[in-house]
Amino acid sequence: MAAKKLETPITLDEIDRLRSGETVSLSGVLIAARDAAHKRIVSSLESNQPLPFDLKDRMVFYLGPSPVPPGKTSGSIGPTTSARMDGLTEPLLKAGVRAFIGKGR
């Protein structure tokens, strides 16, 4: 079966059409963040401070830390454990985030 192709920003209608077990090919802009960034984003939302990016219909990638090797712009990128951000999920959903990508058990 071919992967279902999705591009961010993603709408609720597109999410509603997804089914458990489907393979998804995702492209577009992701917001990459982990614990400290989530706390800063939620703090900004709670104090009505503007963010430097739009959360509406976006996906957040729970990015694990990785050192940047000399001469490179980025280290390797991979998911970090999603459960650590559970307490910060609801405000992000209310601000328009549609999905999260991370690592489970």
Side-chain angles (χ1 to χ4, degrees), residues 23-93:
T23 299
V24 175
S25 173
L26 178 65
S27 63
V29 175
L30 296 175
I31 296 169
R34 64 181 305 231
D35 315 53
H38 279 71
K39 289 174 187 171
R40 287 176 57 195
I41 293 167
V42 170
S43 177
S44 292
L45 291 171
E46 289 173 345
S47 61
N48 292 314
Q49 297 297 314
L51 296 172
F53 45 80
D54 188 9
L55 293 175
K56 178 134 177 62
D57 296 334
R58 297 293 178 189
M59 292 183 153
V60 173
F61 178 46
Y62 296 140
L63 179 65
S66 180
V68 178
K72 302 290 183 178
T73 57
S74 173
S76 61
I77 294 174
T80 193
T81 304
S82 302
R84 288 199 316 272
M85 274 63 79
D86 283 354
L88 303 167
T89 300
E90 188 173 345
L92 295 174
L93 289 170

